[in-house]
Amino acid sequence: MGLLETIKGYRKLPKDIIILFFARIINSIGSFVFPFLAMFLTEKLGMASDKVGRFMMIAAIAGAIGSIIGGKLSDHVGRKKIILVFQSLAAIMLIPCGVLGRSILIPWILVLYNFFNGAVQPANAAMIADLTDKKNRQQAFSLLYLGINIGVAIGPFIAGVLYKKYIKWIFWGDALTTIISLILVAVFVKETIPDKLNIKKKSHEYECGEEKSEAGSVFSVIWKRPTLLIFSLISIIYSFVYAQSNFAIPLQVKALFPENGALMFGTLMSVNAIVVVAFTVVIIHLTRKIRRYLI
C-alpha cells in the first residue's frame, strides 16, 4: 500500500468518524484559552509565574478527576450524552470569563472548565473505539489527530491577533466553536455505547485477545494488562512534558518578545501544527503494520 492509498483509506472510515473529524477541526480552531492562559494570568491578572504554575497544576488535577468521572459515566449513561452534556458545560464556563475583565474569579471558573473538558475525553476515545475495529482503529485515531492539528494550525494565530485588543473573544470564540462542533455531533453522530448482547458478542470474539472484556475496577484491569500499565506510565511522563507547551513556552516567548509575545506564540503554535499535519500521514503510513506485532 502506497502513501496515496493510505490517504484514500481515510474515505473508507465510518461516516461518524468523518463527522467527528470535522467537529475536531472546528473545535480546535477555537481552542484559544488554554494555550494563552499562562500569558493571560501573568499579564492581565498580575499573577507571579510560580502562582500560575500552581494554578495550572490545580486545573490539571481537576481535568484528571473529570476524566475518571466521565469515563465511569460514559460506560453507564452513554458516550454521546456525556460528550454533549459536559462539553456544553465547559463552553458555558467560558462565557462569563469574557465579561469579568480582570476578576480573580476567572481562574477558578477555568478550573471548572477543565473538569468538564476532562470528563469528555474518555467518552470521545470510547466512541471512536466503538465505531472502529482492529483493522481501521489506528487509521481513525490518526485522522482525528490530524483534524486537531489542522484546527491548531489556524486557531492559535487567530488567538494571537485577538489577544492584545479583543481578549474577551478569546473566551467567546472558544465557546462558540465548541458549540458548533457539538451541533455536528448531536445531529450526525449516533450513540455508540454497546448493549449487553453486543458486549457479550465482542467479548467472545476477542476472548483470547487484548480487547476481551474484563470485570473489576479500572486499576484491576490495568494490572491484568501489563501493556496498559506501561502505556499509562508513559502517558503520564508524556503529559507532563507536553504540558510545558501551555506554561513554560508562552512565558518564555513573552519574556523574549514583550510587545508581541501573544502573536509570536500563536504563530509558533500554528507552525508546529502545520509540521504535524504534514508528517502525520507519512508516519501512519510507515507504522501501519506495527499493530500486527503488538496485538
Side-chain angles (χ1 to χ4, degrees):
M1 182 187 288
L3 183 59
L4 184 59
E5 283 72 22
T6 299
I7 297 172
K8 288 181 178 179
Y10 286 135
R11 295 189 300 181
K12 298 177 182 178
L13 290 168
K15 175 185 72 70
D16 299 81
I17 294 292
I18 304 301
I19 297 298
L20 289 173
F21 167 70
F22 287 107
R24 291 283 177 93
I25 292 175
I26 294 169
N27 196 29
S28 298
I29 286 175
S31 293
F32 295 158
V33 174
F34 261 79
F36 289 84
L37 186 57
M39 281 190 182
F40 175 79
L41 295 176
T42 53
E43 286 186 357
K44 307 299 183 182
L45 298 188
M47 283 188 181
S49 57
D50 58 337
K51 192 173 181 180
V52 172
R54 287 195 294 271
F55 165 74
M56 299 288 275
M57 183 179 68
I58 293 170
I61 292 171
I65 295 171
S67 293
I68 294 171
I69 294 173
K72 186 71 174 177
L73 289 174
S74 65
D75 285 335
H76 294 278
V77 178
R79 286 68 153 118
K80 183 175 177 178
K81 292 185 182 71
I82 294 303
I83 291 171
L84 295 178
V85 171
F86 280 90
Q87 199 145 25
S88 295
L89 290 171
I92 290 169
M93 291 297 103
L94 296 175
I95 296 172
C97 294
V99 296
L100 286 174
R102 302 189 179 191
S103 172
I104 197 62
L105 288 175
I106 292 177
W108 299 107
I109 293 174
L110 292 177
V111 168
L112 283 175
Y113 164 85
N114 220 39
F115 170 80
F116 293 133
N117 203 42
V120 174
Q121 305 313 314
N124 267 324
M127 178 176 277
I128 299 164
D130 293 338
L131 290 167
T132 57
D133 53 34
K134 288 193 288 186
K135 293 180 181 179
N136 62 4
R137 187 164 297 140
Q138 184 188 35
Q139 206 169 34
F141 274 102
S142 76
L143 179 65
L144 294 172
Y145 182 68
L146 193 65
I148 291 171
N149 282 283
I150 290 172
V152 173
I154 303 168
F157 179 78
I158 297 173
V161 173
L162 293 173
Y163 181 86
K164 199 164 188 178
K165 294 184 178 179
Y166 305 99
I167 190 70
K168 61 185 178 183
W169 280 103
I170 295 287
F171 300 102
W172 293 347
D174 200 327
L176 180 61
T177 52
T178 298
I179 291 169
I180 294 171
S181 68
L182 284 176
I183 291 172
L184 285 178
V185 174
V187 175
F188 297 108
V189 179
K190 63 187 178 184
E191 175 59 74
T192 65
I193 185 170
D195 55 31
K196 291 183 179 180
L197 183 62
N198 283 333
I199 291 173
K200 188 175 181 180
K201 180 182 177 182
K202 285 194 173 185
S203 180
H204 177 73
E205 289 174 358
Y206 301 118
E207 193 62 38
C208 298
E210 291 294 317
E211 298 194 21
K212 66 178 182 179
S213 62
E214 293 278 7
S217 67
V218 173
F219 299 105
S220 65
V221 171
I222 290 176
W223 188 254
K224 291 176 186 176
R225 308 273 182 92
T227 51
L228 283 179
L229 179 61
I230 294 169
F231 178 77
S232 299
L233 294 174
I234 293 173
S235 294
I236 291 171
I237 297 170
Y238 168 82
S239 297
F240 175 78
V241 174
Y242 197 73
Q244 302 311 304
S245 65
N246 287 336
F247 176 61
I249 295 177
L251 293 182
Q252 184 178 19
V253 172
K254 183 175 75 73
L256 292 172
F257 305 97
E259 294 298 319
N260 297 301
L263 183 59
M264 292 298 294
F265 177 66
T267 304
L268 182 65
M269 291 284 287
S270 293
V271 170
N272 174 69
I274 290 169
V275 172
V276 173
V277 169
F279 284 94
T280 291
V281 177
V282 176
I283 291 172
I284 198 64
H285 170 69
L286 295 175
T287 62
R288 68 191 186 282
K289 295 181 180 179
I290 290 179
R291 65 179 182 274
R292 297 178 185 176
Y293 304 104
L294 295 180
I295 295 178

